[in-house]
Amino acid sequence: MKKKDLVIILIIFLIVQIIFPLFYKVDGTSMLPTFRDNQWVIIDYYGFNDQYKKDDFIIFDLNGETIIKRVIGVAGDRIKIKDNILYINDIEIEENYILEK
């Protein structure tokens, strides 16, 4: 592959990355053990009108900071946390992915 081709590929990659970011670097430990600090993740871009499912991961911007979180409930679900226990639709949910209460 020629140097010129590599430069074109890099430019296209950077343009796509700016418009539709697909690679994110995890910053922090709130998603341990699923994601580690400084770990790179590749996302599947859903768009704005698709339906998310329970246990999907979402990446969104909050006050200029990129946040990654797990979906625990969807439209119509009743979510309650009582005494550090998560209930969805009045069913206790065991959160095996959480390291601490």
Side-chain angles (χ1 to χ4, degrees):
M1 187 175 286
K2 297 178 184 175
K3 215 177 212 184
K4 178 182 172 185
D5 294 334
L6 286 174
V7 170
I8 291 171
I9 290 170
L10 180 61
I11 290 170
I12 291 170
F13 171 80
L14 290 174
I15 290 170
V16 169
Q17 182 66 18
I18 289 168
I19 296 172
F20 302 108
L22 299 175
F23 297 91
Y24 288 92
K25 187 175 185 182
V26 176
D27 182 19
T29 58
S30 70
M31 291 298 293
L32 279 173
T34 307
F35 299 112
R36 298 179 312 278
D37 188 32
N38 294 316
Q39 178 180 3
W40 284 94
V41 295
I42 301 172
I43 66 154
D44 178 10
Y45 180 74
Y46 276 175
F48 296 107
N49 295 320
D50 292 312
Q51 295 292 321
Y52 296 102
K53 301 179 297 298
K54 185 179 179 304
D55 292 327
D56 279 353
F57 294 98
I58 57 172
I59 296 177
F60 58 96
D61 183 75
L62 181 65
N63 299 327
E65 184 179 359
T66 302
I67 308 290
I68 182 170
K69 293 297 173 192
R70 179 189 319 270
V71 175
I72 62 168
V74 294
D77 284 344
R78 292 182 322 274
I79 297 172
K80 176 173 71 172
I81 299 174
K82 184 176 180 183
D83 299 324
N84 287 327
I85 298 172
L86 172 66
Y87 297 88
I88 299 178
N89 301 322
D90 297 321
I91 298 170
E92 182 178 336
I93 304 299
E94 188 165 332
E95 299 175 286
N96 299 328
Y97 45 82
I98 295 180
L99 294 180
E100 56 189 55
K101 290 283 184 188

